[in-house]
Amino acid sequence: MAVKNMKPFVLFTYLLILVGITVSDDFFCNFEKDLCGFTHDSSVNGNWRRMYGSGHNGWWFEYPQTDHTYGNNTGYYMFYRGDNRNQEAARIISPNISPNSTNNYTVCVQFWYYMEGTVGDLSVYVRTNPSDLLGIPVWSLSGNRGGIWHAAQVQIQENTTTTYQVVFEGEGPSRSSSPYGHYDSISIDDVTIRKSYCQDTDDDIEIANVSCSFETFNNCGYRQDQSDDFNWRSRRGATDTRYTGPSQDHTLGSELGRYMYIETSQYQLIEGHKARLISPVWTITEPEQCVEFWYHMYGSDTGALSLFIRPAGGAIPADPVVRIVGHHMDVWLRHVYLMNRTGDFELVFEAICGSGIYGDISLDDVRIYDGPCANNTVEPAVVPIDFLKAGCNFEFDDICNYTQDIADVFDWRRNTGRTRSSNTGPTNDHTYTTSVGHYMYIEASLPRREGDKARLLTQIINNNNTDICLSFYYHMYGRAIDFLKIFKKDVGGGLPIDPIYVKHGNKGNVWRLEKVDVKGQTENFQIVFEGTVGNTAYGDIAIDDIQFHAVTCEKVNVDDVVDSFACDFEGNSSSLCNFEQSKTDNFDWELRNGSTHSLETGPSADHTYGNSKGQYIYIEASNPRRPGERARLTSPSIDSSDHVLCLQFWYHMKGEHVGFLKVFRYFYTEEYYERLMTIEGEQGDRWIEALIPINYDVNNGFIEERIKILITGIIGKGHLGDIAIDDVSIKSHHCFSSGESTTVTELSCDFESGLSKCGFKQSVSDVFDWTFLNASADSQDIANYSTATKGQNNFIYLDMAGRGRGDVANIATQTILPNITNRCLTFKHFMKGDAQQQLNVYILGVSGLNDFVGSVSVKNSSQWKTSQFNVSVKQDDQQIMFEGVVGFAPRGFIALDDITVKFGSCVRDIINATVIPSSLPPASSNQDKNATGEDNDDDNDDDDDENLDIVSKLFISFTLILLFMILLSVAILVVRRRCAKKSRQAKDEQQFPYATNQNLSADLAVDNPAYEISVLSNAS
């Protein structure tokens, strides 16, 4: 056979053979003649078989159709048939291999493997004494590998002067992974044992390289530590155990990519066992170099991952430079470390086993580059949450990032209203005491059985070695109520034997408050709520309104402030509850029921009862009131609290002349006022909910002093300006909308007072900036816009002229309060340009990470349009950012105005402006020039849209006509076929009368079957 006609893998195999011949004492076997000295291990029941191609196909399994050596069905290979019913293992053992004293006792084992079907494990061991146990494999792989031959190699560091053997072991899958008795298919071929270092098959990557994606044969020269307890593994796809480990690598983001990991379920590993992976020598010449790596730590039993940096060949330091502990969700996360030393070093990645099988730790994409590091922080998701923010009332779908335990029997459920079973469980939540609010509970009905447990875990918490208090409400009603237990679980550890709280039995159909002291510690931990099913279905257990307090439980009084502050203004004619009228304002708030004195302003009913008998308070804007006059209402004093307090009230602002409603916070110690909220102008004929955190600041945390709240109403420009409020209360939790209405405006900007007055800031990391535009001063063509927006003449815009494709300009809002409620973002925009031009919206976190909210694509027109987005605010979110993106062509513009951010979800009753500008001002003299230098007015853009619409309509019309013609043709063919069939049948009846006379046909068939066949044959 000529070399030029050989298949690539055949040529590669013969090259391996040639190398084996030229290097003394190398071993090679392609199993074409015999087993080359390999022997079966008689201590196990399973067997490897020497087979060839497709000649053997009698079993219920997948097997190679060709060998690897020749790539056809005549070549031989070793085949393992794994029967999962017995989970038999099979081993073949190589001849004795003499040690390689001339090359530092280094050996490379290379082979090709095939794994298809419901596959168990293929492992490689090194054995120095036939009587010794195999120990830990030097290489192992499991799972279906897609019906093709794959190359593998593993570098072995001989630590003996005696001979040794290489053992290949195949082991079938468990019954759970293949319950119907399928067989395994594991095959090997072309085994080479070479007395040298493994050579990388990728010429672009060095044999030894600290930066590594682990996609290569030798893992870039990374090696296993010989003094640890077990080894790291190379892996593709998901790990062996569900609910732990990644499903794909980080480099390629697919099941084809490789990564390194520790498998905590395969062997009898003990908590605390360590596996260390050592990099090649890293020579540092620059004063600053950055170590970057990606890790995946997902599973309830996850231990720890540490990075040590040691001098080349030296001892491992006592303390790691990086240590990451515990479960961090099912995502790849990035970490960096800045190195400030020079010399020769090695990276040592150490993984430590946790308390159980759900503890796989993975590593990928180690990279070294000149410093400083791009981001010298861990991803926010892995940072323990401040315990004061770890509470939850379960009003959002993410249940505050609480997680279900994967090692229990079933899960807690999020619910509203009643549970499924009567005579057990709550009818409402505790937060709102309505069927709208949410809580978590365990459902004790079938298929649950007595003793089944469900566990709910909080986020990872750190209480900074401070004694704290956990408060929550529980509901345990039903004749079969079993146990509610609470545990404090250290991250990386198992569930403790002893709970910190236990409650048992029926406690009545009522929500009850419970407080539990949690001792301080420096380690991260989670609180675990465990519910146990009783002996019948009447055993539902519910929890709600979990909070953490910065003091011990004896100092916590959750309800004092709440009880003293609630006011619906019902009762006697002067009922203001504990609120007081200010003596330093211009006039007072008035108590009222029904409508106010003036038509076209004020409510017609209160909010509490929704009728004319219920009471509310309001300011009357009629004579003798004058514009700018104020009425203030002062709350009782509010002591410092160790948890978030939310001010909730409902306001009504209907009327053409409505002024302002403002809320202030007064500090007794420093004697100054701080504005918390401003609502301006008419808001429609409806009661609207306002939610304001009153003792928490995003920058400074909790306010640790006594405060009071002032609610101020300010008269507008006329008598149609009544403002009313009702149902004022303080909620002892984060602010969450009740869902009854849109909520208070947090930010409103029409740019009438300029750009900075609204708190907007230009980004310093983009390409160009947004520009403030005064329509009346900067353009002669913008008059219609001021009419459409009631005199608001100013906005911001981007001129795309002269910009490069994809250039961006970013502008962000002032700081908004995180961890309170969802927001509704509304804004007006006017865009001209090509189809790639975009206006994107992001939300920015404290760490600078962006979450995409939505995008507005360009639609050339001559009108302003309004867009709305629901913004899901997570912990540590701070700003909303608008990003303008230049399209393919450097022309057009984006204009932006009337930006509002409100608490709560969007109502989505947006109507585009109907009175519009004829055009926006040209941003530059050459913005709309064509190639000949002639002006293109805005109408040309509209003509382009009209032309596009005509083309679209013609295309749609043509498509419909074509479909109609096809259907008509099919109908005609069907009719013709039916007519032809009837015609043939008529002729047959005339020629063969017995075909329609059943009696005649039967007689002919019996008396003369040959005649029947003959006639029918002729007829056919």
Side-chain angles (χ1 to χ4, degrees):
M1 180 183 295
V3 172
K4 65 179 180 179
N5 294 324
M6 298 177 76
K7 294 183 179 181
F9 54 83
V10 177
L11 178 60
F12 177 75
T13 301
Y14 277 103
L15 288 175
L16 291 178
I17 297 173
L18 289 174
V19 172
I21 294 173
T22 57
V23 181
S24 62
D25 294 328
D26 281 359
F27 174 88
F28 174 79
C29 184
N30 60 10
F31 305 107
E32 295 303 324
K33 294 182 179 180
D34 53 29
L35 298 184
C36 311
F38 274 90
T39 58
H40 293 285
D41 187 347
S42 60
S43 66
V44 291
N45 295 325
N47 282 311
W48 287 84
R49 301 186 181 197
R50 179 172 168 265
M51 296 181 60
Y52 62 87
S54 58
H56 298 258
N57 55 5
W59 294 297
W60 188 10
F61 52 79
E62 302 294 333
Y63 58 94
Q65 297 297 304
T66 67
D67 78 324
H68 174 262
T69 310
Y70 297 114
N72 59 37
N73 59 11
T74 64
Y76 284 82
Y77 55 89
M78 294 301 293
F79 172 81
Y80 163 74
R81 182 189 71 176
D83 182 352
N84 78 303
R85 292 171 297 186
N86 301 314
Q87 239 182 312
E88 296 174 328
R91 302 187 189 116
I92 54 172
I93 306 170
S94 75
N96 290 327
I97 308 297
S98 59
N100 180 23
S101 59
T102 61
N103 196 29
N104 198 26
Y105 297 98
T106 300
V107 173
C108 182
V109 178
Q110 295 176 324
F111 58 96
W112 291 81
Y113 66 90
Y114 181 107
M115 301 174 70
E116 190 175 18
T118 308
V119 180
D121 297 310
L122 173 62
S123 302
V124 180
Y125 299 82
V126 175
R127 187 171 73 175
T128 57
N129 190 328
S131 62
D132 290 344
L133 297 176
L134 290 179
I136 297 173
V138 295
W139 183 94
S140 183
L141 194 65
S142 63
N144 191 326
R145 297 297 152 177
I148 59 174
W149 286 98
H150 296 274
Q153 66 179 1
V154 57
Q155 189 162 292
I156 300 173
Q157 188 74 28
E158 301 169 333
N159 56 1
T160 177
T161 57
T162 62
T163 60
Y164 60 92
Q165 295 169 308
V166 176
V167 181
F168 289 86
E169 179 190 72
E171 186 175 14
S174 65
R175 180 181 296 271
S176 61
S177 64
S178 180
Y180 302 108
H182 286 270
Y183 290 111
D184 247 351
S185 174
I186 300 176
S187 302
I188 60 172
D189 202 0
D190 296 334
V191 178
T192 302
I193 302 175
R194 177 176 298 141
K195 301 295 185 68
S196 64
Y197 290 99
C198 292
Q199 300 297 307
D200 203 316
T201 60
D202 187 346
D203 293 334
D204 295 329
I205 301 179
E206 297 175 6
I207 296 173
N209 195 339
V210 183
S211 295
C212 189
S213 63
F214 301 107
E215 302 295 334
T216 60
F217 258 133
N218 71 334
N219 295 322
C220 312
Y222 278 72
R223 65 189 188 278
Q224 308 284 352
D225 188 359
Q226 300 301 314
S227 62
D228 55 6
D229 303 300
F230 66 110
N231 285 341
W232 287 78
R233 298 183 180 188
S234 175
R235 183 80 182 189
R236 285 192 180 105
T239 60
D240 295 333
T241 309
R242 294 180 62 192
Y243 306 117
T244 187
S247 58
Q248 56 191 19
D249 79 326
H250 176 263
T251 311
L252 304 178
S254 75
E255 295 182 354
L256 299 176
R258 287 188 175 275
Y259 57 91
M260 301 298 292
Y261 88 111
I262 63 164
E263 175 59 60
T264 56
S265 64
Q266 199 70 18
Y267 307 101
Q268 296 299 317
L269 296 175
I270 300 174
E271 183 175 358
H273 271 190
K274 299 174 182 178
R276 286 188 285 267
L277 189 67
I278 304 173
S279 77
V281 174
W282 168 31
T283 301
I284 307 176
T285 58
E286 298 294 328
E288 285 189 348
Q289 283 200 309
C290 186
V291 182
E292 174 187 274
F293 62 91
W294 290 81
Y295 65 94
H296 189 286
M297 298 174 67
Y298 167 55
S300 59
D301 302 320
T302 304
L305 174 65
S306 299
L307 169 62
F308 298 87
I309 297 180
R310 73 176 188 184
I316 297 176
D319 297 320
V321 296
V322 174
R323 181 175 173 82
I324 306 168
V325 179
H327 165 72
H328 291 91
M329 300 187 299
D330 187 11
V331 292
W332 283 100
L333 299 168
R334 173 179 175 267
H335 199 104
V336 293
Y337 173 74
L338 184 63
M339 185 73 170
N340 290 308
R341 292 175 286 179
T342 57
D344 293 337
F345 296 91
E346 293 171 317
L347 305 181
V348 181
F349 289 95
E350 179 185 82
I352 302 178
C353 281
S355 58
I357 64 173
Y358 303 107
D360 296 351
I361 297 175
S362 304
L363 175 71
D364 204 359
D365 291 333
V366 180
R367 190 165 73 97
I368 306 295
Y369 58 88
D370 292 341
C373 295
N375 180 2
N376 199 24
T377 60
V378 182
E379 298 286 340
V382 306
V383 177
I385 191 172
D386 184 342
F387 68 88
L388 291 169
K389 300 178 183 179
C392 193
N393 66 1
F394 306 110
E395 295 305 324
F396 285 123
D397 292 339
D398 65 358
I399 60 172
C400 312
N401 289 320
Y402 284 25
T403 55
Q404 307 279 359
D405 193 349
I406 57 179
D408 55 7
V409 180
F410 68 111
D411 287 342
W412 288 77
R413 297 184 179 184
R414 179 172 175 259
N415 196 48
T416 59
R418 296 179 179 273
T419 62
R420 285 168 40 186
S421 306
S422 59
N423 299 317
T424 187
T427 57
N428 297 312
D429 78 324
H430 175 264
T431 309
Y432 298 121
T433 64
T434 69
S435 60
V436 176
H438 294 79
Y439 58 89
M440 298 294 289
Y441 87 109
I442 63 166
E443 174 58 61
S445 303
L446 289 174
R448 300 279 66 81
R449 299 188 180 279
E450 183 178 3
D452 284 356
K453 292 179 171 59
R455 287 187 284 270
L456 184 71
L457 288 76
T458 67
Q459 296 187 69
I460 297 174
I461 301 170
N462 192 304
N463 62 2
N464 301 316
N465 208 24
T466 302
D467 293 344
I468 63 175
C469 179
L470 162 68
S471 71
F472 64 98
Y473 285 85
Y474 68 89
H475 191 285
M476 300 173 68
Y477 168 56
R479 64 173 182 262
I481 294 292
D482 206 89
F483 284 97
L484 172 64
K485 298 180 181 180
I486 298 178
F487 299 86
K488 185 177 76 168
K489 175 184 178 295
D490 292 338
V491 172
L495 193 71
I497 297 176
D498 298 323
I500 60 175
Y501 170 86
V502 177
K503 188 70 70 174
H504 180 266
N506 188 346
K507 304 303 177 184
N509 190 10
V510 63
W511 284 100
R512 298 182 182 275
L513 173 66
E514 192 61 81
K515 293 177 285 188
V516 182
D517 281 308
V518 180
K519 295 296 183 182
Q521 64 180 55
T522 56
E523 295 82 9
N524 299 331
F525 64 91
Q526 293 171 285
I527 296 297
V528 183
F529 293 85
E530 180 186 84
T532 306
V533 175
N535 57 12
T536 72
Y538 303 105
D540 297 349
I541 299 173
I543 57 175
D544 201 1
D545 291 334
I546 299 169
Q547 292 187 73
F548 292 87
H549 311 265
V551 294
T552 57
C553 290
E554 64 180 1
K555 299 178 181 179
V556 172
N557 197 329
V558 175
D559 293 324
D560 279 354
V561 174
V562 176
D563 294 339
S564 66
F565 210 92
C567 188
D568 57 12
F569 304 107
E570 306 298 334
N572 59 54
S573 58
S574 60
S575 175
L576 293 179
C577 305
N578 292 312
F579 285 84
E580 295 180 354
Q581 303 278 6
S582 173
K583 298 186 182 341
T584 60
D585 53 6
N586 306 111
F587 65 108
D588 288 340
W589 290 81
E590 300 179 24
L591 198 65
R592 182 88 182 166
N593 66 303
S595 300
T596 61
H597 297 300
S598 304
L599 297 175
E600 303 299 327
T601 189
S604 58
D606 78 327
H607 175 263
T608 310
Y609 299 113
N611 58 39
S612 60
K613 295 182 180 180
Q615 298 186 137
Y616 57 88
I617 61 172
Y618 85 111
I619 60 170
E620 175 59 59
S622 302
N623 193 44
R625 301 279 69 85
R626 293 290 180 264
E629 289 186 344
R630 287 167 165 77
R632 294 194 188 95
L633 196 67
T634 305
S635 78
S637 64
I638 302 168
D639 291 330
S640 62
S641 177
D642 51 17
H643 57 275
V644 171
L645 298 176
C646 178
L647 171 66
Q648 178 194 50
F649 66 93
W650 295 81
Y651 64 91
H652 191 285
M653 298 172 68
K654 172 195 173 185
E656 182 181 349
H657 305 137
V658 169
F660 297 86
L661 178 63
K662 298 184 178 183
V663 178
F664 295 86
R665 174 170 55 200
Y666 176 77
F667 295 86
Y668 280 92
T669 303
E670 301 177 26
E671 296 185 346
Y672 80 97
Y673 296 90
E674 182 178 58
R675 188 176 66 185
L676 299 176
M677 184 201 75
T678 298
I679 308 166
E680 177 184 3
E682 181 176 10
Q683 304 294 318
D685 188 9
R686 57 181 175 176
W687 287 99
I688 302 175
E689 183 184 27
L691 296 163
I692 309 170
I694 59 174
N695 69 330
Y696 182 81
D697 180 84
V698 66
N699 297 315
N700 302 315
F702 283 91
I703 297 169
E704 299 179 355
E705 63 176 283
R706 196 159 53 101
I707 61 173
K708 65 180 176 181
I709 300 300
L710 284 80
I711 302 176
T712 302
I714 303 176
I715 300 296
K717 297 180 180 179
H719 71 285
L720 300 178
D722 297 349
I723 299 174
I725 62 173
D726 199 2
D727 293 331
V728 182
S729 63
I730 284 185
K731 301 295 183 182
S732 183
H733 53 67
H734 285 291
C735 292
F736 295 93
S737 173
S738 63
E740 293 184 42
S741 171
T742 52
T743 55
V744 62
T745 300
E746 181 185 13
L747 180 145
S748 178
C749 183
D750 57 14
F751 300 107
E752 296 308 302
S753 300
L755 185 62
S756 59
K757 294 290 185 182
C758 294
F760 278 78
K761 291 184 179 180
Q762 305 274 8
S763 173
V764 296
S765 60
D766 53 5
V767 180
F768 64 114
D769 286 340
W770 290 78
T771 303
F772 172 73
L773 179 69
N774 183 294
S776 59
D778 297 345
S779 173
Q780 303 299 319
D781 303 320
I782 205 68
N784 288 339
Y785 178 74
S786 59
T787 303
T789 55
K790 297 183 180 179
Q792 297 174 350
N793 297 318
N794 303 330
F795 51 89
I796 59 173
Y797 83 112
L798 290 177
D799 175 11
M800 303 303 184
R803 300 296 172 187
R805 173 183 172 184
D807 284 355
V808 298
N810 300 329
I811 191 167
T813 67
Q814 63 189 18
T815 298
I816 58 176
L817 294 178
N819 202 24
I820 298 170
T821 181
N822 282 5
R823 312 297 209 280
C824 177
L825 169 67
T826 306
F827 57 93
K828 291 181 180 178
H829 52 87
F830 190 3
M831 303 171 64
K832 282 186 179 291
D834 63 36
Q836 296 300 314
Q837 181 179 298
Q838 284 187 322
L839 175 61
N840 301 320
V841 182
Y842 296 87
I843 188 161
L844 307 183
V846 173
S847 60
L849 297 177
N850 302 348
D851 285 336
F852 181 69
V853 175
S855 180
V856 179
S857 58
V858 66
K859 290 186 178 180
N860 292 306
S861 63
S862 294
Q863 68 176 22
W864 286 84
K865 295 186 177 181
T866 302
S867 289
Q868 238 180 28
F869 292 110
N870 278 309
V871 181
S872 179
V873 178
K874 298 179 295 186
Q875 179 193 335
D876 294 333
D877 286 339
Q878 283 205 328
Q879 295 172 288
I880 294 175
M881 183 181 78
F882 292 89
E883 176 188 70
V885 183
V886 179
F888 284 121
R891 63 188 300 270
F893 58 82
I894 300 176
L896 190 61
D897 200 1
D898 291 345
I899 301 168
T900 61
V901 179
K902 295 185 177 182
F903 291 120
S905 299
C906 298
V907 179
R908 300 210 178 269
D909 55 357
I910 295 301
I911 302 175
N912 289 333
T914 55
V915 183
I916 47 149
S918 58
S919 66
L920 271 178
S924 65
S925 59
N926 63 348
Q927 176 176 341
D928 291 317
K929 297 276 188 180
N930 60 21
T932 62
E934 297 177 354
D935 289 338
N936 292 324
D937 59 23
D938 293 328
D939 292 336
N940 290 337
D941 291 329
D942 299 333
D943 293 339
D944 293 339
D945 292 337
E946 292 174 4
N947 293 335
L948 183 61
D949 291 340
I950 293 172
V951 172
S952 300
K953 292 175 181 177
L954 288 174
F955 175 76
I956 294 171
S957 300
F958 175 76
T959 303
L960 291 175
I961 293 172
L962 181 61
L963 288 173
F964 173 76
M965 294 300 293
I966 293 172
L967 292 174
L968 182 61
S969 301
V970 171
I972 292 173
L973 288 173
V974 170
V975 172
R976 290 186 62 185
R977 291 187 65 180
R978 288 183 177 177
C979 292
K981 183 177 181 180
K982 289 182 179 180
S983 177
R984 286 196 300 271
Q985 288 175 347
K987 291 180 180 179
D988 291 341
E989 290 173 4
Q990 293 175 359
Q991 186 176 0
F992 309 110
Y994 59 82
T996 57
N997 189 323
Q998 294 182 355
N999 296 326
L1000 180 59
S1001 287
D1003 293 340
L1004 287 173
V1006 171
D1007 297 336
N1008 193 359
Y1011 172 77
E1012 179 191 17
I1013 294 172
S1014 173
V1015 172
L1016 290 178
S1017 177
N1018 293 334
S1020 62

